[in-house]
């Protein structure tokens, strides 16, 4: 079937390009990060920006993700700031500064893909410092930090029920226990760019060469 253009939104970021975008659960609004260093929430049905989100810093927002219930989203930026916002109001409810040693250009952040309230409070971040960090936002603590010796992390994913955390670099992939950070498996695969869990046990990795494994 042909794809139909549902909505076209212009100047959401005041003429600047859009770097990251995620759909909120109601499928009516999206949250986006732009090259103007801002985060915006846009109503897709009306094609208009409904909220400018005051971010925790002036750094370039590298990534964002939305909780399964669509009530919160997380951002990470070049100022080494990770922040959680309420989607309905744009209010910041949690932030962590310096979680990656002040190294700029944090590459990714993701919420646990689970409807359980506790699980939704888990944020995984990765940066150019070659570390992956798991935060519990409700308790306000860092559960563990793991340094990835394979290279700079380009993507992270978390399995259902928060059992495992996977991350990929330009050289390969690794899976660690979500509670302890103990490495469970690793393999070398050049040019990895993305990773996700298809189930509790099945991991999908994508490379720049178009390889899916």
């Amino acid at each position: 079937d042909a794809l139909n253009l549902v909505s076209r939104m212009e100047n959401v970021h005041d003429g600047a390009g859009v770097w990251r975008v995620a759909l909120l659960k109601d499928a009516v609004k999206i949250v986006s990060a732009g090259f103007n260093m801002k985060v915006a929430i846009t109503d897709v049905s009306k094609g208009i920006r409904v909220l400018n989100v005051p971010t925790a810093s002036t750094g370039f927002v590298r990534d964002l993700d939305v909780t399964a219930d669509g009530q919160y989203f997380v951002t990470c930026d070049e100022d080494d700031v990770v922040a959680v916002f309420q989607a309905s109001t744009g209010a910041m409810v949690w932030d962590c500064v310096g979680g990656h040693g002040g190294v700029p250009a944090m590459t990714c952040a993701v919420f646990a893909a689970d409807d359980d309230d506790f699980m939704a409070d888990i944020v995984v971040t990765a940066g150019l410092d070659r570390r992956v960090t798991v935060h519990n936002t409700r308790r306000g603590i860092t559960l563990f930090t793991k340094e990835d010796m394979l290279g700079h992390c380009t993507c992270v994913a978390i399995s259902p029920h928060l059992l495992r955390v996977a991350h990929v670099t330009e050289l390969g992939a690794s899976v660690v226990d979500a509670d302890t950070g103990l490495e469970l498996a690793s393999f070398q695969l050049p040019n990895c760019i993305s990773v996700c869990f298809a189930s509790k046990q099945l991991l999908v990795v994508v490379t720049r060469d178009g390889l899916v494994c």
Side-chain angles (χ1 to χ4, degrees), residues 5-197:
L5 179 63
V6 176
S7 179
R8 176 171 177 166
M9 292 150 288
E10 299 180 358
N11 295 321
V12 172
H13 287 274
D14 302 321
V18 176
W19 176 252
R20 284 289 185 269
V21 63
L23 186 67
L24 299 180
K25 191 173 183 180
D26 57 12
V28 175
K29 298 183 181 69
I30 60 171
V31 56
S32 59
F35 285 98
N36 60 347
M37 315 295 184
K38 295 180 179 180
V39 175
I41 295 178
T42 305
D43 189 314
V44 177
S45 63
K46 300 177 181 178
I48 59 173
R49 180 177 58 197
V50 295
L51 185 64
N52 280 320
V53 180
T55 57
S57 73
T58 59
F60 178 59
V61 177
R62 296 302 303 261
D63 206 359
L64 56 83
D65 199 7
V66 180
T67 54
D69 59 12
Q71 295 188 44
Y72 299 91
F73 64 90
V74 61
T75 65
C76 63
D77 63 35
E78 288 185 333
D79 285 349
D80 194 13
V81 177
V82 181
V84 178
F85 300 87
Q86 189 174 39
S88 60
T89 65
M92 186 175 68
V93 296
W94 177 87
D95 71 326
C96 176
V97 182
H100 287 266
V103 177
M106 295 174 62
T107 57
C108 37
V110 63
F111 272 100
D114 197 297
D115 290 332
D116 184 273
D117 287 341
F118 176 78
M119 300 298 184
D121 290 336
I122 301 300
V123 178
V124 182
T125 63
L128 292 183
D129 57 352
R130 299 171 65 169
R131 291 190 295 178
V132 174
T133 302
V134 179
H135 310 268
N136 184 306
T137 62
R138 176 170 298 187
R139 296 167 61 190
I141 62 173
T142 297
L143 298 181
F144 69 83
T145 297
K146 178 176 178 55
E147 184 171 349
D148 182 13
M149 301 305 294
L150 291 176
H152 301 312
C153 185
T154 57
C155 185
V156 293
I158 194 161
S159 70
H161 306 296
L162 195 60
L163 299 175
R164 298 172 178 86
V165 173
H167 55 285
V168 296
T169 73
E170 65 271 20
L171 300 177
S174 177
V175 180
V176 301
D177 184 277
D179 289 326
T180 65
L182 179 68
E183 186 172 82
L184 303 175
S186 67
F187 57 91
Q188 294 186 359
L189 184 65
N191 302 318
C192 293
I193 59 173
S194 184
V195 62
C196 68
F197 282 94

